[in-house]
Amino acid sequence: MKADTHPQYNEIAVNCSCGNSFTTKSTMGKPLHVEVCSECHPFYTGTQKIMDTAGRIEKFNQKYGKAGAKAAA
């Protein structure tokens, strides 16, 4: 690498709003605050909710399907 062309790549502290903190490397050069991390994100914690899109579509069709069919005819 050429000297003085690349930014400094230093270790920084990352603090999450859940209270978790860890270190990583970055060119940012100052501590970073994040709102979601792997300790509190639903995908990583296993509390992710799966959307029931089929049920929601059926509910929509029951509510608006007949009225929409009359308007289209």
Side-chain angles (χ1 to χ4, degrees):
M1 290 194 315
K2 291 183 180 180
D4 300 327
T5 58
H6 298 283
Q8 292 293 321
Y9 192 61
N10 299 318
E11 216 172 77
I12 64 166
V14 180
N15 296 315
C16 181
S17 59
C18 72
N20 185 34
S21 61
F22 55 93
T23 59
T24 188
K25 291 201 171 209
S26 174
T27 58
M28 196 163 136
K30 60 182 181 178
L32 178 65
H33 177 75
V34 294
E35 294 183 17
V36 180
C37 68
S38 62
E39 293 293 319
C40 60
H41 192 279
F43 180 79
Y44 296 108
T45 60
T47 59
Q48 183 178 16
K49 295 180 182 177
I50 298 173
M51 298 293 287
D52 181 21
T53 53
R56 294 177 76 191
I57 293 169
E58 187 63 33
K59 184 177 179 181
F60 177 85
N61 286 336
Q62 287 177 353
K63 188 171 185 179
Y64 300 107
K66 294 178 182 175
K70 291 178 184 176

Short mmCIF file of all heavy atoms in Angstrom, two decimals:
data_model
loop_
_atom_site.label_atom_id
_atom_site.label_comp_id
_atom_site.label_asym_id
_atom_site.label_seq_id
_atom_site.Cartn_x
_atom_site.Cartn_y
_atom_site.Cartn_z
N MET A 1 0.84 -1.19 0.00
CA MET A 1 0.00 0.00 0.00
C MET A 1 0.88 1.24 0.00
O MET A 1 1.92 1.27 0.63
CB MET A 1 -0.89 0.03 1.25
CG MET A 1 -1.97 -1.02 1.24
SD MET A 1 -3.28 -0.82 2.46
CE MET A 1 -2.45 -0.44 3.94
N LYS A 2 0.39 2.25 -0.67
CA LYS A 2 1.09 3.53 -0.66
C LYS A 2 0.85 4.22 0.68
O LYS A 2 -0.22 4.13 1.27
CB LYS A 2 0.59 4.43 -1.78
CG LYS A 2 0.96 3.95 -3.15
CD LYS A 2 0.48 4.94 -4.18
CE LYS A 2 0.83 4.51 -5.57
NZ LYS A 2 0.36 5.47 -6.56
N ALA A 3 1.84 4.93 1.13
CA ALA A 3 1.72 5.67 2.39
C ALA A 3 0.82 6.88 2.20
O ALA A 3 0.82 7.52 1.15
CB ALA A 3 3.10 6.11 2.85
N ASP A 4 0.02 7.19 3.24
CA ASP A 4 -0.84 8.38 3.28
C ASP A 4 -1.96 8.41 2.25
O ASP A 4 -2.48 9.47 1.93
CB ASP A 4 0.00 9.65 3.15
CG ASP A 4 1.02 9.78 4.26
OD1 ASP A 4 0.71 9.32 5.38
OD2 ASP A 4 2.11 10.33 4.01
N THR A 5 -2.35 7.27 1.69
CA THR A 5 -3.48 7.27 0.74
C THR A 5 -4.71 6.57 1.31
O THR A 5 -5.81 6.79 0.83
CB THR A 5 -3.10 6.58 -0.59
OG1 THR A 5 -2.69 5.26 -0.32
CG2 THR A 5 -2.00 7.35 -1.29
N HIS A 6 -4.51 5.73 2.30
CA HIS A 6 -5.61 4.98 2.88
C HIS A 6 -5.94 5.50 4.27
O HIS A 6 -5.04 5.89 5.01
CB HIS A 6 -5.27 3.49 2.95
CG HIS A 6 -5.03 2.88 1.61
ND1 HIS A 6 -6.04 2.55 0.75
CD2 HIS A 6 -3.87 2.58 0.95
CE1 HIS A 6 -5.54 2.05 -0.35
NE2 HIS A 6 -4.22 2.06 -0.26
N PRO A 7 -7.21 5.50 4.65
CA PRO A 7 -7.57 5.96 6.00
C PRO A 7 -7.10 4.98 7.07
O PRO A 7 -6.86 3.80 6.79
CB PRO A 7 -9.09 6.03 5.96
CG PRO A 7 -9.50 5.12 4.86
CD PRO A 7 -8.38 5.12 3.87
N GLN A 8 -6.97 5.48 8.28
CA GLN A 8 -6.56 4.64 9.40
C GLN A 8 -7.67 3.64 9.72
O GLN A 8 -8.84 3.99 9.77
CB GLN A 8 -6.28 5.50 10.63
CG GLN A 8 -5.07 6.38 10.48
CD GLN A 8 -3.79 5.56 10.42
OE1 GLN A 8 -3.64 4.56 11.12
NE2 GLN A 8 -2.86 5.97 9.57
N TYR A 9 -7.31 2.40 9.93
CA TYR A 9 -8.25 1.32 10.23
C TYR A 9 -8.01 0.91 11.67
O TYR A 9 -7.12 0.12 11.98
CB TYR A 9 -7.99 0.16 9.26
CG TYR A 9 -9.05 -0.90 9.24
CD1 TYR A 9 -10.35 -0.61 8.89
CD2 TYR A 9 -8.74 -2.22 9.55
CE1 TYR A 9 -11.33 -1.59 8.85
CE2 TYR A 9 -9.70 -3.21 9.51
CZ TYR A 9 -10.98 -2.89 9.17
OH TYR A 9 -11.93 -3.87 9.13
N ASN A 10 -8.81 1.48 12.58
CA ASN A 10 -8.60 1.28 14.01
C ASN A 10 -9.75 0.52 14.65
O ASN A 10 -10.83 0.43 14.10
CB ASN A 10 -8.46 2.64 14.71
CG ASN A 10 -7.28 3.41 14.19
OD1 ASN A 10 -6.21 2.84 13.98
ND2 ASN A 10 -7.45 4.69 13.95
N GLU A 11 -9.48 0.04 15.87
CA GLU A 11 -10.51 -0.64 16.64
C GLU A 11 -11.38 0.42 17.32
O GLU A 11 -10.88 1.38 17.89
CB GLU A 11 -9.85 -1.53 17.69
CG GLU A 11 -10.59 -2.80 17.93
CD GLU A 11 -9.83 -3.75 18.83
OE1 GLU A 11 -9.82 -3.51 20.04
OE2 GLU A 11 -9.26 -4.72 18.29
N ILE A 12 -12.73 0.24 17.21
CA ILE A 12 -13.66 1.18 17.85
C ILE A 12 -14.64 0.40 18.72
O ILE A 12 -14.84 -0.79 18.52
CB ILE A 12 -14.44 2.02 16.82
CG1 ILE A 12 -15.34 1.15 15.95
CG2 ILE A 12 -13.52 2.88 15.99
CD1 ILE A 12 -16.38 1.91 15.16
N ALA A 13 -15.26 1.09 19.65
CA ALA A 13 -16.26 0.49 20.52
C ALA A 13 -17.64 0.73 19.92
O ALA A 13 -17.95 1.82 19.45
CB ALA A 13 -16.20 1.11 21.91
N VAL A 14 -18.47 -0.31 19.91
CA VAL A 14 -19.84 -0.21 19.42
C VAL A 14 -20.76 -0.47 20.60
O VAL A 14 -20.63 -1.48 21.29
CB VAL A 14 -20.11 -1.24 18.30
CG1 VAL A 14 -21.53 -1.13 17.79
CG2 VAL A 14 -19.12 -1.08 17.17
N ASN A 15 -21.70 0.46 20.84
CA ASN A 15 -22.66 0.33 21.93
C ASN A 15 -24.06 0.26 21.35
O ASN A 15 -24.44 1.09 20.54
CB ASN A 15 -22.56 1.52 22.89
CG ASN A 15 -21.22 1.57 23.56
OD1 ASN A 15 -20.72 0.56 24.03
ND2 ASN A 15 -20.61 2.75 23.58
N CYS A 16 -24.83 -0.73 21.80
CA CYS A 16 -26.20 -0.90 21.34
C CYS A 16 -27.15 -0.31 22.38
O CYS A 16 -26.83 -0.22 23.56
CB CYS A 16 -26.50 -2.39 21.14
SG CYS A 16 -28.17 -2.71 20.53
N SER A 17 -28.34 0.04 21.93
CA SER A 17 -29.34 0.60 22.85
C SER A 17 -29.83 -0.45 23.86
O SER A 17 -30.37 -0.09 24.89
CB SER A 17 -30.51 1.18 22.08
OG SER A 17 -31.12 0.19 21.28
N CYS A 18 -29.62 -1.74 23.59
CA CYS A 18 -30.01 -2.79 24.53
C CYS A 18 -29.00 -2.94 25.66
O CYS A 18 -29.25 -3.66 26.61
CB CYS A 18 -30.21 -4.12 23.81
SG CYS A 18 -28.68 -4.90 23.27
N GLY A 19 -27.85 -2.28 25.56
CA GLY A 19 -26.83 -2.36 26.59
C GLY A 19 -25.63 -3.20 26.18
O GLY A 19 -24.61 -3.18 26.87
N ASN A 20 -25.72 -3.92 25.10
CA ASN A 20 -24.61 -4.74 24.64
C ASN A 20 -23.52 -3.84 24.05
O ASN A 20 -23.81 -2.84 23.40
CB ASN A 20 -25.11 -5.73 23.58
CG ASN A 20 -24.05 -6.69 23.13
OD1 ASN A 20 -23.18 -7.08 23.90
ND2 ASN A 20 -24.10 -7.08 21.86
N SER A 21 -22.27 -4.20 24.28
CA SER A 21 -21.16 -3.46 23.67
C SER A 21 -20.12 -4.44 23.18
O SER A 21 -19.93 -5.51 23.76
CB SER A 21 -20.57 -2.47 24.66
OG SER A 21 -20.06 -3.14 25.77
N PHE A 22 -19.44 -4.08 22.11
CA PHE A 22 -18.40 -4.91 21.53
C PHE A 22 -17.45 -4.01 20.75
O PHE A 22 -17.71 -2.83 20.56
CB PHE A 22 -18.99 -6.02 20.65
CG PHE A 22 -19.90 -5.53 19.56
CD1 PHE A 22 -19.42 -5.26 18.29
CD2 PHE A 22 -21.26 -5.36 19.79
CE1 PHE A 22 -20.26 -4.83 17.28
CE2 PHE A 22 -22.11 -4.93 18.80
CZ PHE A 22 -21.61 -4.66 17.53
N THR A 23 -16.35 -4.57 20.32
CA THR A 23 -15.38 -3.82 19.53
C THR A 23 -15.32 -4.38 18.13
O THR A 23 -15.55 -5.57 17.90
CB THR A 23 -13.98 -3.86 20.16
OG1 THR A 23 -13.57 -5.22 20.26
CG2 THR A 23 -13.97 -3.21 21.52
N THR A 24 -15.00 -3.51 17.20
CA THR A 24 -14.83 -3.90 15.81
C THR A 24 -13.82 -2.95 15.20
O THR A 24 -13.40 -1.98 15.83
CB THR A 24 -16.17 -3.86 15.04
OG1 THR A 24 -15.97 -4.42 13.74
CG2 THR A 24 -16.69 -2.44 14.90
N LYS A 25 -13.42 -3.21 13.99
CA LYS A 25 -12.48 -2.33 13.30
C LYS A 25 -13.25 -1.48 12.29
O LYS A 25 -14.16 -1.95 11.64
CB LYS A 25 -11.39 -3.13 12.61
CG LYS A 25 -10.46 -3.79 13.60
CD LYS A 25 -9.17 -4.13 12.93
CE LYS A 25 -8.20 -4.58 14.00
NZ LYS A 25 -6.84 -4.30 13.63
N SER A 26 -12.83 -0.21 12.20
CA SER A 26 -13.51 0.72 11.31
C SER A 26 -12.58 1.87 10.96
O SER A 26 -11.63 2.15 11.68
CB SER A 26 -14.77 1.26 11.99
OG SER A 26 -15.36 2.27 11.20
N THR A 27 -12.89 2.55 9.89
CA THR A 27 -12.17 3.77 9.53
C THR A 27 -12.86 4.99 10.12
O THR A 27 -12.39 6.11 9.94
CB THR A 27 -12.11 3.93 7.99
OG1 THR A 27 -13.44 3.96 7.48
CG2 THR A 27 -11.34 2.80 7.36
N MET A 28 -13.95 4.79 10.84
CA MET A 28 -14.72 5.88 11.41
C MET A 28 -13.91 6.66 12.46
O MET A 28 -13.99 7.88 12.52
CB MET A 28 -16.00 5.34 12.02
CG MET A 28 -17.03 6.35 12.29
SD MET A 28 -18.58 5.51 12.51
CE MET A 28 -19.19 6.36 13.92
N GLY A 29 -13.19 5.97 13.31
CA GLY A 29 -12.31 6.61 14.26
C GLY A 29 -12.96 7.09 15.54
O GLY A 29 -12.29 7.68 16.38
N LYS A 30 -14.25 6.90 15.73
CA LYS A 30 -14.90 7.29 16.97
C LYS A 30 -15.90 6.20 17.36
O LYS A 30 -16.30 5.40 16.53
CB LYS A 30 -15.61 8.63 16.82
CG LYS A 30 -16.68 8.67 15.76
CD LYS A 30 -17.29 10.05 15.65
CE LYS A 30 -18.39 10.05 14.59
NZ LYS A 30 -19.03 11.33 14.49
N PRO A 31 -16.30 6.16 18.64
CA PRO A 31 -17.27 5.13 19.08
C PRO A 31 -18.58 5.24 18.30
O PRO A 31 -19.00 6.32 17.90
CB PRO A 31 -17.48 5.45 20.55
CG PRO A 31 -16.26 6.21 20.96
CD PRO A 31 -15.83 6.98 19.75
N LEU A 32 -19.24 4.11 18.12
CA LEU A 32 -20.47 4.04 17.34
C LEU A 32 -21.61 3.57 18.22
O LEU A 32 -21.46 2.65 19.03
CB LEU A 32 -20.27 3.04 16.19
CG LEU A 32 -21.44 2.76 15.26
CD1 LEU A 32 -21.82 4.02 14.49
CD2 LEU A 32 -21.09 1.65 14.31
N HIS A 33 -22.78 4.21 18.09
CA HIS A 33 -23.98 3.80 18.82
C HIS A 33 -24.97 3.25 17.80
O HIS A 33 -25.29 3.92 16.82
CB HIS A 33 -24.60 4.97 19.57
CG HIS A 33 -25.87 4.59 20.27
ND1 HIS A 33 -25.87 3.86 21.43
CD2 HIS A 33 -27.16 4.80 19.96
CE1 HIS A 33 -27.11 3.65 21.81
NE2 HIS A 33 -27.92 4.22 20.92
N VAL A 34 -25.45 2.02 18.01
CA VAL A 34 -26.43 1.39 17.13
C VAL A 34 -27.70 1.09 17.92
O VAL A 34 -27.66 0.99 19.15
CB VAL A 34 -25.88 0.10 16.48
CG1 VAL A 34 -24.74 0.40 15.54
CG2 VAL A 34 -25.46 -0.90 17.53
N GLU A 35 -28.82 0.98 17.24
CA GLU A 35 -30.09 0.71 17.90
C GLU A 35 -30.40 -0.78 17.99
O GLU A 35 -31.13 -1.21 18.87
CB GLU A 35 -31.21 1.43 17.19
CG GLU A 35 -31.08 2.93 17.30
CD GLU A 35 -32.24 3.66 16.66
OE1 GLU A 35 -33.28 3.02 16.43
OE2 GLU A 35 -32.10 4.85 16.40
N VAL A 36 -29.86 -1.58 17.07
CA VAL A 36 -30.14 -3.01 17.04
C VAL A 36 -28.83 -3.75 16.78
O VAL A 36 -28.04 -3.36 15.92
CB VAL A 36 -31.15 -3.36 15.92
CG1 VAL A 36 -31.43 -4.84 15.89
CG2 VAL A 36 -32.44 -2.58 16.10
N CYS A 37 -28.60 -4.82 17.54
CA CYS A 37 -27.41 -5.65 17.34
C CYS A 37 -27.83 -7.12 17.31
O CYS A 37 -29.01 -7.44 17.41
CB CYS A 37 -26.39 -5.40 18.44
SG CYS A 37 -26.90 -5.97 20.06
N SER A 38 -26.87 -8.00 17.21
CA SER A 38 -27.19 -9.43 17.14
C SER A 38 -27.72 -9.97 18.46
O SER A 38 -28.31 -11.05 18.48
CB SER A 38 -25.96 -10.22 16.72
OG SER A 38 -24.93 -10.06 17.67
N GLU A 39 -27.55 -9.26 19.55
CA GLU A 39 -28.08 -9.70 20.84
C GLU A 39 -29.56 -9.38 21.01
O GLU A 39 -30.25 -10.02 21.79
CB GLU A 39 -27.30 -9.05 21.98
CG GLU A 39 -25.86 -9.50 22.07
CD GLU A 39 -25.73 -10.96 22.47
OE1 GLU A 39 -26.48 -11.40 23.36
OE2 GLU A 39 -24.88 -11.65 21.88
N CYS A 40 -30.06 -8.36 20.31
CA CYS A 40 -31.45 -7.95 20.53
C CYS A 40 -32.31 -7.99 19.26
O CYS A 40 -33.52 -7.79 19.34
CB CYS A 40 -31.49 -6.54 21.13
SG CYS A 40 -30.74 -5.26 20.12
N HIS A 41 -31.72 -8.24 18.10
CA HIS A 41 -32.51 -8.29 16.86
C HIS A 41 -33.35 -9.57 16.85
O HIS A 41 -32.85 -10.65 17.15
CB HIS A 41 -31.59 -8.26 15.65
CG HIS A 41 -32.32 -8.02 14.38
ND1 HIS A 41 -32.98 -9.02 13.70
CD2 HIS A 41 -32.52 -6.89 13.67
CE1 HIS A 41 -33.54 -8.52 12.62
NE2 HIS A 41 -33.27 -7.22 12.58
N PRO A 42 -34.65 -9.46 16.51
CA PRO A 42 -35.53 -10.64 16.53
C PRO A 42 -35.06 -11.80 15.67
O PRO A 42 -35.28 -12.95 16.00
CB PRO A 42 -36.86 -10.10 16.01
CG PRO A 42 -36.83 -8.66 16.31
CD PRO A 42 -35.39 -8.25 16.19
N PHE A 43 -34.39 -11.53 14.57
CA PHE A 43 -33.91 -12.61 13.71
C PHE A 43 -32.88 -13.47 14.44
O PHE A 43 -32.91 -14.71 14.35
CB PHE A 43 -33.29 -12.05 12.43
CG PHE A 43 -32.78 -13.11 11.51
CD1 PHE A 43 -33.64 -13.82 10.69
CD2 PHE A 43 -31.43 -13.41 11.45
CE1 PHE A 43 -33.17 -14.81 9.84
CE2 PHE A 43 -30.94 -14.40 10.60
CZ PHE A 43 -31.82 -15.09 9.80
N TYR A 44 -31.98 -12.86 15.17
CA TYR A 44 -30.93 -13.58 15.86
C TYR A 44 -31.39 -14.17 17.18
O TYR A 44 -30.87 -15.18 17.63
CB TYR A 44 -29.72 -12.68 16.10
CG TYR A 44 -29.07 -12.23 14.83
CD1 TYR A 44 -29.19 -10.93 14.39
CD2 TYR A 44 -28.33 -13.11 14.06
CE1 TYR A 44 -28.60 -10.51 13.22
CE2 TYR A 44 -27.73 -12.72 12.89
CZ TYR A 44 -27.86 -11.41 12.47
OH TYR A 44 -27.29 -11.00 11.32
N THR A 45 -32.37 -13.56 17.84
CA THR A 45 -32.83 -14.06 19.13
C THR A 45 -33.86 -15.18 19.00
O THR A 45 -34.17 -15.83 19.98
CB THR A 45 -33.45 -12.93 19.97
OG1 THR A 45 -34.55 -12.38 19.26
CG2 THR A 45 -32.42 -11.85 20.27
N GLY A 46 -34.41 -15.38 17.81
CA GLY A 46 -35.38 -16.44 17.59
C GLY A 46 -36.80 -16.03 17.92
O GLY A 46 -37.70 -16.86 17.95
N THR A 47 -37.05 -14.75 18.14
CA THR A 47 -38.39 -14.27 18.44
C THR A 47 -39.03 -13.61 17.22
O THR A 47 -39.98 -12.86 17.36
CB THR A 47 -38.36 -13.26 19.60
OG1 THR A 47 -37.52 -12.17 19.22
CG2 THR A 47 -37.84 -13.89 20.87
N GLN A 48 -38.51 -13.91 16.06
CA GLN A 48 -39.04 -13.32 14.83
C GLN A 48 -40.45 -13.84 14.57
O GLN A 48 -40.72 -15.04 14.68
CB GLN A 48 -38.13 -13.68 13.65
CG GLN A 48 -38.57 -13.05 12.35
CD GLN A 48 -37.60 -13.40 11.22
OE1 GLN A 48 -36.80 -14.32 11.35
NE2 GLN A 48 -37.68 -12.68 10.14
N LYS A 49 -41.33 -12.94 14.22
CA LYS A 49 -42.71 -13.31 13.92
C LYS A 49 -42.83 -13.55 12.42
O LYS A 49 -42.38 -12.74 11.62
CB LYS A 49 -43.67 -12.21 14.35
CG LYS A 49 -43.69 -12.00 15.84
CD LYS A 49 -44.66 -10.91 16.21
CE LYS A 49 -44.65 -10.68 17.71
NZ LYS A 49 -45.53 -9.58 18.08
N ILE A 50 -43.46 -14.64 12.05
CA ILE A 50 -43.68 -14.96 10.65
C ILE A 50 -45.05 -14.43 10.27
O ILE A 50 -46.04 -14.74 10.92
CB ILE A 50 -43.56 -16.46 10.39
CG1 ILE A 50 -42.14 -16.92 10.75
CG2 ILE A 50 -43.90 -16.79 8.96
CD1 ILE A 50 -41.95 -18.41 10.70
N MET A 51 -45.09 -13.63 9.23
CA MET A 51 -46.35 -13.03 8.80
C MET A 51 -47.22 -14.09 8.11
O MET A 51 -46.75 -14.88 7.31
CB MET A 51 -46.08 -11.90 7.81
CG MET A 51 -45.28 -10.76 8.40
SD MET A 51 -46.14 -9.86 9.64
CE MET A 51 -47.29 -8.97 8.65
N ASP A 52 -48.48 -14.08 8.43
CA ASP A 52 -49.45 -14.99 7.82
C ASP A 52 -50.08 -14.27 6.64
O ASP A 52 -51.20 -13.78 6.70
CB ASP A 52 -50.51 -15.39 8.85
CG ASP A 52 -51.53 -16.35 8.27
OD1 ASP A 52 -51.22 -17.01 7.26
OD2 ASP A 52 -52.63 -16.44 8.82
N THR A 53 -49.32 -14.17 5.53
CA THR A 53 -49.81 -13.42 4.38
C THR A 53 -51.02 -14.08 3.73
O THR A 53 -51.90 -13.39 3.24
CB THR A 53 -48.70 -13.23 3.34
OG1 THR A 53 -48.14 -14.50 3.02
CG2 THR A 53 -47.62 -12.31 3.87
N ALA A 54 -51.06 -15.40 3.73
CA ALA A 54 -52.21 -16.07 3.12
C ALA A 54 -53.48 -15.72 3.87
O ALA A 54 -54.52 -15.45 3.28
CB ALA A 54 -51.99 -17.58 3.10
N GLY A 55 -53.43 -15.72 5.19
CA GLY A 55 -54.58 -15.37 6.00
C GLY A 55 -54.98 -13.92 5.83
O GLY A 55 -56.16 -13.58 5.80
N ARG A 56 -54.01 -13.04 5.69
CA ARG A 56 -54.30 -11.63 5.51
C ARG A 56 -54.94 -11.37 4.15
O ARG A 56 -55.84 -10.55 4.02
CB ARG A 56 -53.02 -10.81 5.66
CG ARG A 56 -52.46 -10.88 7.07
CD ARG A 56 -51.18 -10.15 7.21
NE ARG A 56 -51.45 -8.72 7.25
CZ ARG A 56 -50.54 -7.78 7.15
NH1 ARG A 56 -49.29 -8.11 7.00
NH2 ARG A 56 -50.87 -6.51 7.20
N ILE A 57 -54.47 -12.07 3.14
CA ILE A 57 -55.05 -11.91 1.79
C ILE A 57 -56.47 -12.41 1.78
O ILE A 57 -57.37 -11.78 1.22
CB ILE A 57 -54.17 -12.63 0.74
CG1 ILE A 57 -52.83 -11.93 0.63
CG2 ILE A 57 -54.88 -12.69 -0.61
CD1 ILE A 57 -51.80 -12.68 -0.17
N GLU A 58 -56.70 -13.55 2.43
CA GLU A 58 -58.05 -14.11 2.50
C GLU A 58 -58.98 -13.16 3.24
O GLU A 58 -60.13 -12.94 2.83
CB GLU A 58 -58.01 -15.47 3.20
CG GLU A 58 -59.33 -16.20 3.18
CD GLU A 58 -59.79 -16.56 1.77
OE1 GLU A 58 -58.94 -16.83 0.91
OE2 GLU A 58 -61.01 -16.54 1.54
N LYS A 59 -58.51 -12.58 4.32
CA LYS A 59 -59.32 -11.62 5.08
C LYS A 59 -59.65 -10.40 4.22
O LYS A 59 -60.78 -9.90 4.24
CB LYS A 59 -58.57 -11.20 6.34
CG LYS A 59 -59.34 -10.30 7.26
CD LYS A 59 -58.54 -10.00 8.51
CE LYS A 59 -59.30 -9.07 9.43
NZ LYS A 59 -58.53 -8.76 10.64
N PHE A 60 -58.67 -9.92 3.46
CA PHE A 60 -58.90 -8.79 2.57
C PHE A 60 -59.94 -9.13 1.51
O PHE A 60 -60.85 -8.34 1.24
CB PHE A 60 -57.59 -8.36 1.90
CG PHE A 60 -57.75 -7.24 0.91
CD1 PHE A 60 -57.75 -5.93 1.35
CD2 PHE A 60 -57.91 -7.50 -0.44
CE1 PHE A 60 -57.90 -4.89 0.45
CE2 PHE A 60 -58.07 -6.47 -1.34
CZ PHE A 60 -58.06 -5.16 -0.90
N ASN A 61 -59.81 -10.31 0.91
CA ASN A 61 -60.76 -10.73 -0.12
C ASN A 61 -62.17 -10.89 0.44
O ASN A 61 -63.15 -10.55 -0.23
CB ASN A 61 -60.31 -12.03 -0.78
CG ASN A 61 -59.14 -11.81 -1.71
OD1 ASN A 61 -58.94 -10.70 -2.22
ND2 ASN A 61 -58.36 -12.85 -1.94
N GLN A 62 -62.28 -11.38 1.66
CA GLN A 62 -63.60 -11.51 2.28
C GLN A 62 -64.22 -10.14 2.53
O GLN A 62 -65.42 -9.95 2.37
CB GLN A 62 -63.51 -12.28 3.59
CG GLN A 62 -63.26 -13.76 3.41
CD GLN A 62 -63.09 -14.47 4.75
OE1 GLN A 62 -63.02 -13.83 5.79
NE2 GLN A 62 -63.01 -15.80 4.69
N LYS A 63 -63.40 -9.19 2.91
CA LYS A 63 -63.90 -7.88 3.26
C LYS A 63 -64.18 -7.03 2.01
O LYS A 63 -65.19 -6.35 1.94
CB LYS A 63 -62.90 -7.16 4.16
CG LYS A 63 -63.40 -5.87 4.74
CD LYS A 63 -62.42 -5.34 5.78
CE LYS A 63 -62.98 -4.09 6.45
NZ LYS A 63 -62.06 -3.59 7.47
N TYR A 64 -63.27 -7.05 1.05
CA TYR A 64 -63.37 -6.16 -0.10
C TYR A 64 -63.56 -6.88 -1.43
O TYR A 64 -63.83 -6.24 -2.44
CB TYR A 64 -62.12 -5.29 -0.21
CG TYR A 64 -61.90 -4.43 0.99
CD1 TYR A 64 -60.88 -4.71 1.90
CD2 TYR A 64 -62.70 -3.33 1.23
CE1 TYR A 64 -60.66 -3.92 3.00
CE2 TYR A 64 -62.49 -2.53 2.33
CZ TYR A 64 -61.47 -2.82 3.22
OH TYR A 64 -61.27 -2.03 4.31
N GLY A 65 -63.42 -8.18 -1.46
CA GLY A 65 -63.49 -8.93 -2.71
C GLY A 65 -64.83 -8.82 -3.41
O GLY A 65 -64.91 -8.55 -4.60
N LYS A 66 -65.91 -8.99 -2.70
CA LYS A 66 -67.25 -8.95 -3.29
C LYS A 66 -67.60 -7.53 -3.73
O LYS A 66 -68.16 -7.33 -4.79
CB LYS A 66 -68.27 -9.48 -2.32
CG LYS A 66 -68.10 -10.95 -2.02
CD LYS A 66 -69.10 -11.45 -1.02
CE LYS A 66 -68.84 -12.93 -0.72
NZ LYS A 66 -69.70 -13.43 0.33
N ALA A 67 -67.23 -6.53 -2.94
CA ALA A 67 -67.53 -5.14 -3.29
C ALA A 67 -66.70 -4.73 -4.51
O ALA A 67 -67.19 -4.03 -5.40
CB ALA A 67 -67.22 -4.21 -2.12
N GLY A 68 -65.45 -5.20 -4.58
CA GLY A 68 -64.60 -4.88 -5.72
C GLY A 68 -65.09 -5.54 -6.99
O GLY A 68 -65.01 -4.99 -8.08
N ALA A 69 -65.67 -6.76 -6.87
CA ALA A 69 -66.19 -7.47 -8.04
C ALA A 69 -67.41 -6.75 -8.60
O ALA A 69 -67.60 -6.67 -9.80
CB ALA A 69 -66.53 -8.91 -7.67
N LYS A 70 -68.27 -6.21 -7.75
CA LYS A 70 -69.45 -5.47 -8.20
C LYS A 70 -69.04 -4.18 -8.87
O LYS A 70 -69.61 -3.78 -9.88
CB LYS A 70 -70.38 -5.16 -7.02
CG LYS A 70 -71.05 -6.38 -6.45
CD LYS A 70 -71.91 -6.01 -5.26
CE LYS A 70 -72.51 -7.23 -4.61
NZ LYS A 70 -73.26 -6.89 -3.41
N ALA A 71 -68.04 -3.51 -8.35
CA ALA A 71 -67.59 -2.23 -8.91
C ALA A 71 -66.94 -2.46 -10.28
O ALA A 71 -67.07 -1.64 -11.17
CB ALA A 71 -66.64 -1.54 -7.96
N ALA A 72 -66.24 -3.57 -10.45
CA ALA A 72 -65.56 -3.86 -11.71
C ALA A 72 -66.54 -4.31 -12.79
O ALA A 72 -66.30 -4.13 -13.97
CB ALA A 72 -64.50 -4.93 -11.50
N ALA A 73 -67.68 -4.88 -12.42
CA ALA A 73 -68.63 -5.41 -13.39
C ALA A 73 -69.48 -4.37 -14.04
O ALA A 73 -69.58 -3.27 -13.88
CB ALA A 73 -69.55 -6.43 -12.71
#
